[in-house]
Amino acid sequence: MTESIATADLYDERGEELQSVSLQLQDLGAVTAFSGPIRTVACFRDNALLKELLSTPGDGAVLVVDGGGSLESALVGDLIATLGVDNGWAGLIIHGAIRDRVVVGTLPIGVKALGSNPRKSGKTGEGEADVPVSFGGATFRPGAMVWCDEDGILVEE
């Protein structure tokens, strides 16, 4: 994880070089300020691919998951979030839902998501990894930097 900087201060410094995510994602992990290079997964109600990615060394990266904004089932629960912790990921930004939010809230990882749902997602492996994904008025490109805190999310253009 890179050094923490307040997103408001960063925006004051860099302005329009940064995209500001307009979605009001909830802070659900124990870490509320995190940053790092972006890795991505685009999946809809299926978490096998993101579980596979979180099982590899994260090296301080932030996994951005575009779940299409679905709240019908959870893409991440306590076991998958723990994989992120164990493998050195700085955080998760999920355009969708998680589950096990009480346990996830105790884990030393950043997690931002739309909300929670106890329903499990599919496990077929559908989706794509390391492709640009867009939501909340921002495009997340693999390798670009992302900064998160209680004020929101900033993404490098």
Side-chain angles (χ1 to χ4, degrees):
M1 185 169 100
T2 61
E3 184 178 320
S4 179
I5 184 169
T7 56
D9 292 341
L10 184 61
Y11 191 84
D12 288 348
E13 289 174 20
R14 297 189 52 191
E16 295 303 313
E17 295 175 17
L18 302 171
Q19 303 169 76
S20 179
V21 176
S22 61
L23 283 178
Q24 301 299 297
L25 298 172
Q26 298 178 40
D27 286 309
L28 298 170
V31 176
T32 56
F34 58 98
S35 61
I38 294 170
R39 299 282 308 271
T40 66
V41 170
C43 57
F44 184 73
R45 298 185 62 196
D46 189 302
N47 67 2
L49 184 57
L50 76 93
K51 180 180 180 183
E52 180 181 317
L53 195 53
L54 286 174
S55 297
T56 66
D59 300 320
V62 175
L63 183 60
V64 179
V65 180
D66 184 2
S70 175
L71 297 173
E72 296 174 21
S73 61
L75 291 171
V76 171
D78 60 342
L79 299 178
I80 291 177
T82 298
L83 284 174
V85 172
D86 292 345
N87 289 300
W89 291 82
L92 309 169
I93 300 170
I94 303 162
H95 187 221
I98 72 161
R99 62 189 230 154
D100 304 313
R101 70 188 289 162
V102 171
V103 175
V104 170
T106 68
L107 298 175
I109 189 169
V111 178
K112 286 188 175 279
L114 292 173
S116 62
N117 186 329
R119 184 179 188 181
K120 290 183 181 183
S121 67
K123 313 281 186 232
T124 65
E126 291 182 37
E128 293 180 278
D130 293 318
V131 297
V133 297
S134 298
F135 55 86
T139 299
F140 300 84
R141 293 175 293 103
M145 283 295 295
V146 63
W147 297 267
C148 304
D149 66 11
E150 297 86 348
D151 279 339
I153 301 169
L154 294 175
V155 184
E156 200 170 45
E157 281 283 351

